Amino acid sequence: MVRGIAFLIGAAFAAVVAWALFWTIQGVVTDPTPKTMTGAPKSAETEFHLHPRSAGLRSDGVFGKFDKQQLQRGFQVYKEVCSNCHSLRFVAFRDLEGLGYSEGQVKAIAQGYDNIPSINPDTGEPATRKGTPADHFPMPFANDIAARAANNNAIPPDLSYITRARHGGADYVYSLITGYRPQSAAMLKEFPDIKTPKGLYSNPYFANLNIAMPPPLKTEGQVQYMDGTRPTVDQMAKDVAAFLVWTADPKLETRHTAGFAAVIFLLISSFLAFGAYRNIWRDVKH
């Protein structure tokens, strides 16, 4: 009797789960928008938020590799533009050797930062000093209060792992940087009360369509590349996105190589195991 009741309860539970799964899948297939999956009401955010465009980086895909020249250009964009607001606190100067810089070049880059927090050995008071290769990139603001005061009450996120922390990764960064545009006529027609608040900027690639960060890359030539690459806004956005992929996953190439070697090893092992099986059981009918 007890087993029968337990069976009926289990069957009912399985039926409810299967029913819910069926309607969830059907809803996603017929209307694959965020509002369907989350139950959110129709809004400008759910209707006009855009999916990131592909940046087409060489690091994309399972066989992706870094383009070190592009990474160096991306670092230049970060240093000259992004570092004014965004930190890179989980990256040390000596890590830049992974971009192809020599030890001397890394030391020169580190010494170019003279705002590394320190302590005056004579007075014990807070002080600053020049960077060394062992130091991490300094914070652009003294604290969160200063960051909010300088950025319309918004704290610029640290960029060390931003391509891992945001859906779309490098594509999101690239699309966000190049996606600033006036609000569309279609959105204003459907949602006439939606206006970009003062101090914010319209960007359909941002979650709520309005972002506190002003366009960081505005004109061609804003950063002068040393390798002769034409510094268009699109190119600079791709380069800094590639650099941020590296900061978030500097061992990407090593992982891809190890993964490929593991797959080859497993395939060879499978063929050898199958051959051994056929050899051992060759006189036995199956």
Side-chain angles (χ1 to χ4, degrees):
M1 183 65 178
V2 175
R3 287 187 176 181
I5 294 175
F7 175 79
L8 291 175
I9 293 174
F13 178 77
V16 171
V17 172
W19 181 261
L21 181 62
F22 169 78
W23 285 109
T24 300
I25 293 175
Q26 184 187 51
V28 172
V29 171
T30 56
D31 186 16
T33 59
K35 63 178 183 298
T36 300
M37 294 183 285
T38 63
K42 186 177 181 180
S43 66
E45 289 82 357
T46 58
E47 295 295 313
F48 292 94
H49 178 254
L50 298 182
H51 188 75
R53 296 176 293 119
S54 174
L57 303 179
R58 287 186 57 187
S59 56
D60 293 343
V62 295
F63 299 110
K65 292 184 177 294
F66 287 127
D67 179 344
K68 290 190 176 181
Q69 278 195 322
Q70 183 174 45
L71 296 183
Q72 291 185 15
R73 294 196 303 267
F75 169 61
Q76 187 179 351
V77 175
Y78 167 77
K79 182 180 178 182
E80 296 184 16
V81 180
C82 308
S83 64
N84 293 322
C85 298
H86 294 277
S87 58
L88 208 62
R89 61 194 181 97
F90 295 107
V91 180
F93 292 114
R94 61 188 172 194
D95 295 334
L96 296 178
E97 290 185 22
L99 303 186
Y101 290 117
S102 66
E103 184 177 343
Q105 288 175 313
V106 169
K107 185 175 181 180
I109 291 172
Q111 290 181 341
Y113 289 80
D114 58 1
N115 58 337
I116 305 298
S118 182
I119 299 295
N120 189 314
D122 298 324
T123 64
E125 296 293 328
T128 57
R129 59 172 174 78
K130 287 188 176 183
T132 67
D135 291 318
H136 286 68
F137 280 84
M139 304 290 285
F141 301 102
N143 49 55
D144 288 350
I145 296 176
R148 288 185 183 277
N151 294 279
N152 195 28
N153 204 36
I155 299 178
D158 181 84
L159 298 183
S160 303
Y161 298 106
I162 196 68
T163 56
R164 286 298 187 90
R166 298 292 186 270
H167 175 69
D171 293 342
Y172 169 78
V173 172
Y174 163 69
S175 299
L176 187 74
I177 293 175
T178 59
Y180 289 86
R181 64 190 67 173
Q183 291 178 305
S184 68
M187 183 177 70
L188 293 176
K189 181 179 180 180
E190 187 171 353
F191 301 95
D193 295 332
I194 297 296
K195 299 286 185 181
T196 300
K198 184 178 180 181
L200 299 182
Y201 302 86
S202 174
N203 193 320
Y205 293 100
F206 195 63
N208 64 3
L209 308 183
N210 297 302
I211 186 171
M213 178 178 71
L217 300 174
K218 300 178 181 179
T219 60
E220 180 176 333
Q222 187 171 340
V223 175
Q224 293 296 321
Y225 289 144
M226 297 181 181
D227 63 359
T229 301
R230 183 180 175 186
T232 63
V233 170
D234 189 79
Q235 182 66 56
M236 290 185 288
K238 288 182 179 180
D239 292 343
V240 75
F243 171 69
L244 294 177
V245 170
W246 175 82
T247 64
D249 190 6
K251 302 298 183 182
L252 178 142
E253 292 181 336
T254 302
R255 287 194 305 101
H256 287 181
T257 301
F260 182 71
V263 170
I264 296 298
F265 172 79
L266 290 174
L267 288 174
I268 294 175
S269 298
S270 298
F271 281 118
L272 292 175
F274 181 73
Y277 161 78
R278 293 298 300 269
N279 183 57
I280 293 173
W281 299 96
R282 63 183 180 277
D283 296 328
V284 179
K285 291 185 177 180
H286 291 73

